[in-house]
Amino acid sequence: MQNVMIVGAGKGGTAILKILKESEVLNVYVVIDRNLDAPGMKLAQQEGIKIGTEWYPFLNDNIDIIIEVTGDDRVFQSLRNTKSKKTVLIPGSVAFLFSTLMEEKEELLKKHQNESYFQELIFNATNDGMVVINHHGTIILFNRRAEEMMGVKKDQAIGEFVIDVISESRLPIILETRRIETNQEMVLGNGRKIITTRIPIMEENGELIGAVAVFKDITEVVNLAEEITNLKEIQTMLQAIIHSSDDAISVVDENGRGILINPAYTRITGLTEDRVIGKPATADISEGESMHMKVLQTRRAVRGVPMRVGPNEKEVIVNVAPIIVNGKLKGSVGVIHDMSEMKSLSRELNRARQIIRKLEAKYTFEDIIGTSDEMMLAIEQAKLGAKTPATVLLRGESGTGKELFAHAIHNASDRKYNKFIRVNCAAISESLLESELFGYEEGAFSGAVRGGKRGLFEEANNGSIFLDEIGELSANTQAKLLRVLQENEIIRVGGTKPITINVRIVAATNVNLEKGIAAGTFREDLYYRLNRMPIQIPPLRKRKDEIPALCERLIQKINRDYGRNVEGITSAALIQLMAYNWPGNVRELENILGRAIIFMNYTETFIDVHHLPELNNRKTINEIPVSSITIEETSPLQQTLAEMIEVYEANIIQQTLKRLNGNKTLTAKTLGLSVRNLYYKLDKYEIEKNSTQ
C-alpha cells in the first residue's frame, strides 16, 4: 500500500481525503494545512490520520505520493524541489481542467438560465419569481414564487418603491439604461442565490413603461454544480495517480472484463489496452488462475499471490481487492508488483554476503566480547601487540577465540590493508605443509607445477600470517620457521635463493609448548622467538558473566547464517548455561545455540530450557583443590590419562614450593623449569590461590 501526503485541506483536499480513505491501495499518511480549522484537518483527526501545519518534517521515504491542492505554485515548486525521486507529485489542478470545468459550468448555468427566461414569461403559472415595476420604479406585479423567495408578502410589496422592498434590485438601473440584463447572478439578503433576467418594457412606439425581473432560485443547482466540479477534479487526480504508479494496475467490472489499465501494466506484462480492455480477466494469465475472478466469486481480497503474467511469463506478486459500492459488487482492482528487480537485489545481496565471508580478516576488537579482568587484560595486550611488529603467541584452550584475536590484531595494525593468511598447521599433512608455507621451485618434486609456486609466507608479504596449532609443526618446518623469524627471509622447497619477506606472525596453540620442549618435540629457540608477546585467553568457565552477552551476539550470527528470527534466550535457559563449565568454551556454546535454533519451530522466538541438550559438568583441574589431591586418589574411571598427569604435576609443584618455603626461583631450578614457565603453571593450576584458601 502506498502512502499519500495531502497538502491543502480545503474543499478539494477534503474531497480527495474522503475518496482516498476508502481506497484499498492508497493510504493517506498525513494531511497538511496551515489552518488547523480547515475541514480536511478536522476530518483527518476524526479518521486518526496525522496532521501538520508544515509538510517538510513529514517528507521522507515513507511518502510515495504527494497531492498538492493548495493552488499555490510556490508550494508546488517547493515540494517538487524537495521530494525524493521516487515520490510522485500530483498538482491539485491543471489549466485544462479548470477550462473544461468552467465551460461545463457555464453550459449548465446557461441551460438553467434559458429555461428560466422562457418559463418566467408566464407569470403565476411558473415556479420562478417575477417582479414588475412601472416607469417610476414602483412595484406593480409580485408573484407567489417571488413572495416565497423574497420572504415578503405581495400586499407589502405592491405599490412600494422596489429598492425599499428589494435593496439589491437593479430594476431602477434598467429604467435608466433601457438595456436588458439577462441571466445575472445575485444573492438575496436572506442568503438565497438567484439568477435573474431584467428587461425594460417598451411600447411599440418606444416609450418606456416599466421593467420586469424574472428570477429563479438556483441555490441547489449551484451546490450540485460545485459537487460535480469537485468529483470531476477528483476523478482526474485519481486517474493521474493511477497512471503515475510504477506498479501495474488493472480494473475489471463485475463480469470480469477489463475496463482500465495503467502504463506500468503494459510495461510489466507486455499487454496493450486492446488486448485487455473488454477482454476476460484471464487474458493476462500465463500460469495459474485469475485472481480477479477469484475475488469476484468470493468478494474477498487476496494478497501476495505469486504468478506469471504476459507472453514473457514475468514473475510477479499480485494483490486484488473487490470494488463494493453500497453493498453491490462493481468489479475488482488488482496491483501487480514486478519481482524481477527484487530478485536482482536478492542476488546482489547474496553476492555481497559471499564477498564478506571471503574477506581475509573479518573481525575487529569490537567483535570480541569481554568484561572479566582476565579477558580485558588479554584484549589490552592484543591491542598493544597490534601496534608493534612483534610476533604474538595466543595461548588458550580450544574454542576460546584465538583466531578472533588474530583477526582483530591484524585489523588494528598498520598492515590491515594487506593480506591476512590463515594456516591450520594441524589440518595440512606434514609432507605438504612445508611447500604450502614456503612454496617450491619448478621440479622440486613430482607433480610440481611449471614455474614453481609461491608459498603462503610470500602471499602474506607486508601483511600478517596466522599459524594456528603451532605446536603441531614438524622439526624441519620449525627450523625453517625459526629462520623466518630471525632473518625475515624464506627459501622455497627445492630452491637455494633466499627471498626476503616482511610478515607479522601471529601464532596460536592450545597445547603446552613447555612440555613439548621437555619432550624434545618443540624447539626451545623457536619457543623463545614465538613467546616474545604471549597472550593468555581465559576459558569460558572463568568468565561466565559474559555468557549472556555472548549468547546475544551468537544468536544474531546464527540468525544470519540460518535465516531465522530468534530474538533471544529465556532466563531459565540462561541459568542452565551459566551452571555448565564449558570444556569446549565459546565454540561449544555456539554449537549448542545453533543446534537449539535448528530444532526450534519457526513460531518460537526465544530459546528455552527444553531446546537445550543435557549439559553434564565434568570436573576440571581448576575446580579440584590441589592441596587435597594425591595420585592415589585419582580414579582412571573419572579422569583421562592427560588429566591425571596434570593433577600429578600440580601436586609435585605445590609440594616442592611448600618445601622451599615459597621460593619460586629455587622451585623452578629444582624442577628444571624456567621461572616464566613456573609462573605459567602456577597460574594454570591456581596453586597459590588454592594454597591461600
Side-chain angles (χ1 to χ4, degrees):
M1 184 174 287
Q2 294 186 315
N3 289 329
V4 179
M5 174 194 286
I6 299 176
V7 181
K11 276 189 177 180
T14 304
I16 290 175
L17 177 57
K18 288 178 180 178
I19 295 295
L20 293 187
K21 72 185 182 68
E22 303 296 332
S23 172
E24 291 286 337
V25 296
L26 296 174
N27 172 52
V28 179
Y29 182 77
V30 65
V31 177
I32 306 297
D33 199 295
R34 293 185 176 178
N35 181 11
L36 291 174
D37 293 327
M41 301 289 272
K42 293 181 179 179
L43 178 59
Q45 284 183 307
Q46 292 173 5
E47 297 296 328
I49 298 171
K50 294 180 181 180
I51 63 172
T53 57
E54 296 292 338
W55 51 262
Y56 186 80
F58 296 93
L59 195 60
N60 53 43
D61 291 339
N62 288 334
I63 303 301
D64 302 299
I65 299 171
I66 302 172
I67 302 178
E68 190 277 319
V69 287
T70 64
D72 189 335
D73 187 59
R74 292 173 298 177
V75 175
F76 181 82
Q77 294 298 331
S78 297
L79 284 168
R80 187 174 66 180
N81 295 333
T82 308
K83 73 176 185 67
S84 65
K85 291 184 178 178
K86 72 170 191 176
T87 303
V88 177
L89 175 61
I90 300 174
S93 56
V94 289
F96 81 89
L97 175 61
F98 280 126
S99 170
T100 302
L101 294 177
M102 290 302 295
E103 288 176 1
E104 291 178 355
K105 180 179 178 181
E106 289 298 324
E107 289 175 2
L108 182 62
L109 292 176
K110 187 175 181 179
K111 177 181 178 182
H112 288 290
Q113 290 167 355
N114 289 335
E115 290 176 357
S116 299
Y117 179 78
F118 290 110
Q119 292 173 358
E120 288 167 359
L121 294 178
I122 306 172
F123 187 50
N124 282 324
T126 182
N127 196 37
D128 297 330
M130 179 177 288
V131 176
V132 180
I133 63 173
N134 59 20
H135 65 284
H136 297 297
T138 302
I139 297 175
I140 58 174
L141 288 174
F142 198 83
N143 75 343
R144 178 178 50 81
R145 185 61 180 143
E147 286 183 313
E148 296 175 2
M149 286 190 282
M150 302 295 178
V152 178
K153 293 296 183 180
K154 179 179 178 181
D155 296 340
Q156 297 172 333
I158 298 295
E160 299 292 331
F161 188 63
V162 68
I163 297 299
D164 295 334
V165 178
I166 309 170
S167 59
E168 305 88 353
S169 177
R170 286 179 53 85
L171 286 177
I173 299 175
I174 299 301
L175 293 177
E176 294 178 8
T177 62
R178 299 191 178 194
R179 292 182 180 179
I180 298 174
E181 292 184 354
T182 60
N183 302 327
Q184 300 296 306
E185 287 189 26
M186 182 177 177
V187 179
L188 300 177
N190 57 13
R192 286 180 180 268
K193 293 180 181 179
I194 64 171
I195 185 167
T196 180
T197 297
R198 306 177 187 97
I199 305 172
I201 303 174
M202 312 282 291
E203 289 189 341
E204 291 183 359
N205 59 4
E207 182 181 352
L208 179 68
I209 61 174
V212 60
V214 181
F215 46 92
K216 185 179 184 66
D217 188 351
I218 62 167
T219 304
E220 293 182 2
V221 174
V222 171
N223 291 339
L224 179 60
E226 289 178 352
E227 289 183 10
I228 292 173
T229 300
N230 287 338
L231 287 174
K232 286 189 173 293
E233 186 175 315
I234 292 168
Q235 181 183 12
T236 302
M237 289 181 180
L238 290 178
Q239 198 169 25
I241 292 171
I242 292 172
H243 279 70
S244 65
S245 173
D246 288 333
D247 290 329
I249 298 175
S250 63
V251 182
V252 302
D253 61 18
E254 64 271 23
N255 298 317
R257 294 191 172 274
I259 57 176
L260 183 148
I261 63 173
N262 67 342
Y265 181 92
T266 301
R267 174 174 54 81
I268 291 175
T269 66
L271 299 172
T272 55
E273 286 190 353
D274 59 335
R275 299 179 62 182
V276 177
I277 303 302
K279 301 293 191 300
T282 55
D284 60 352
I285 307 301
S286 60
E287 183 179 301
E289 64 174 319
S290 169
M291 290 301 103
H292 277 301
M293 299 307 297
K294 184 175 181 179
V295 167
L296 293 175
Q297 291 168 4
T298 63
R299 298 169 68 101
R300 294 179 179 272
V302 295
R303 301 185 183 282
V305 179
M307 296 185 67
R308 292 181 181 271
V309 297
N312 296 326
E313 298 187 357
K314 180 163 285 189
E315 293 183 58
V316 297
I317 293 293
V318 177
N319 298 327
V320 182
I323 302 172
I324 299 175
V325 181
N326 295 328
K328 293 184 179 181
L329 183 67
K330 295 295 184 180
S332 63
V333 57
V335 179
I336 298 175
H337 302 276
D338 188 358
M339 291 295 293
S340 58
E341 184 176 355
M342 295 175 65
K343 289 199 169 186
S344 175
L345 291 174
S346 178
R347 287 193 296 269
E348 290 296 327
L349 178 59
N350 288 333
R351 278 199 290 268
R353 283 177 174 168
Q354 292 173 0
I355 292 171
I356 290 171
R357 288 172 181 162
K358 291 179 181 178
L359 288 177
E360 293 170 324
K362 298 181 286 187
Y363 309 110
T364 66
F365 284 112
E366 294 179 358
D367 296 308
I368 300 176
I369 295 175
T371 56
S372 65
D373 293 341
E374 296 91 340
M375 198 64 176
M376 293 301 294
L377 176 61
I379 293 172
E380 290 302 319
Q381 288 176 335
K383 288 181 178 179
L384 181 62
K387 302 303 180 185
T388 69
T391 301
V392 176
L393 178 61
L394 301 171
R395 306 192 67 158
E397 297 177 10
S398 179
T400 53
K402 296 186 291 296
E403 184 168 346
L404 191 67
F405 269 81
H407 283 260
I409 289 170
H410 174 78
N411 275 330
S413 71
D414 55 3
R415 300 171 182 263
K416 63 182 177 181
Y417 297 114
N418 296 311
K419 284 192 176 182
F420 177 74
I421 303 295
R422 292 165 285 175
V423 183
N424 189 328
C425 300
I428 305 175
S429 66
E430 183 179 340
S431 59
L432 293 176
L433 182 59
E434 187 176 346
S435 60
E436 285 293 318
L437 288 175
F438 306 108
Y440 56 82
E441 297 289 355
E442 182 178 349
F445 49 81
S446 299
V449 298
R450 188 173 183 179
K453 179 185 176 183
R454 286 156 55 95
L456 295 176
F457 272 105
E458 288 182 76
E459 292 289 341
N461 193 31
N462 296 318
S464 303
I465 189 167
F466 174 50
L467 301 177
D468 198 7
E469 307 290 356
I470 192 73
E472 304 297 328
L473 290 177
S474 65
N476 187 42
T477 307
Q478 288 181 40
K480 287 202 168 188
L481 179 58
L482 180 62
R483 181 180 180 86
V484 174
L485 292 170
Q486 288 178 336
E487 308 297 337
N488 290 327
E489 62 183 24
I490 63 163
I491 297 178
R492 291 182 179 179
V493 175
T496 57
K497 181 181 177 182
I499 301 172
T500 301
I501 58 169
N502 175 21
V503 176
R504 145 83 73 103
I505 295 176
V506 180
T509 182
N510 63 349
V511 300
N512 192 321
L513 295 181
E514 292 79 7
K515 284 185 180 179
I517 294 172
T521 59
F522 199 83
R523 294 178 64 109
E524 188 173 3
D525 49 0
L526 177 59
Y527 169 79
Y528 291 124
R529 284 285 182 180
L530 291 173
N531 203 39
R532 281 187 175 176
M533 190 166 191
I535 298 174
Q536 184 71 35
I537 303 174
L540 185 56
R541 61 180 172 274
K542 288 189 177 182
R543 48 188 182 105
K544 289 185 178 181
D545 290 343
E546 298 169 7
I547 288 178
L550 284 168
C551 287
E552 182 180 353
R553 182 70 62 84
L554 290 172
I555 288 172
Q556 292 175 359
K557 177 180 180 293
I558 296 167
N559 279 337
R560 289 194 302 270
D561 292 342
Y562 294 168
R564 299 296 295 269
N565 193 30
V566 176
E567 296 179 14
I569 185 168
T570 64
S571 299
L574 199 57
I575 291 172
Q576 183 165 324
L577 295 181
M578 296 281 282
Y580 186 53
N581 278 329
W582 301 106
N585 295 294
V586 181
R587 185 180 292 117
E588 184 180 6
L589 175 61
E590 182 177 3
N591 174 273
I592 286 175
L593 293 175
R595 196 175 353 160
I597 289 174
I598 288 173
F599 290 104
M600 286 173 66
N601 293 327
Y602 276 84
T603 57
E604 296 176 305
T605 57
F606 282 88
I607 300 173
D608 208 345
V609 174
H610 67 275
H611 295 125
L612 301 175
E614 185 176 352
L615 301 175
N616 295 318
N617 279 321
R618 179 172 60 117
K619 286 190 175 182
T620 65
I621 188 66
N622 293 324
E623 295 176 284
I624 303 172
V626 179
S627 58
S628 64
I629 295 177
T630 62
I631 192 66
E632 289 79 16
E633 294 173 343
T634 309
S635 171
L637 297 176
Q638 296 175 338
Q639 291 183 309
T640 64
L641 178 61
E643 290 173 333
M644 293 172 64
I645 291 172
E646 287 186 343
V647 172
Y648 182 68
E649 182 181 51
N651 194 24
I652 292 296
I653 292 173
Q654 186 179 29
Q655 291 176 6
T656 305
L657 189 64
K658 184 176 180 180
R659 180 166 56 85
L660 297 175
N661 298 320
N663 189 323
K664 296 183 179 62
T665 304
L666 188 57
T667 299
K669 185 176 180 181
T670 302
L671 295 176
L673 301 172
S674 66
V675 175
R676 180 186 293 274
N677 197 2
L678 176 64
Y679 273 98
Y680 167 73
K681 292 179 183 295
L682 292 175
D683 180 66
K684 177 180 179 182
Y685 300 133
E686 299 183 356
I687 290 176
E688 290 185 308
K689 180 179 178 182
N690 285 314
S691 297
T692 58
Q693 293 174 348

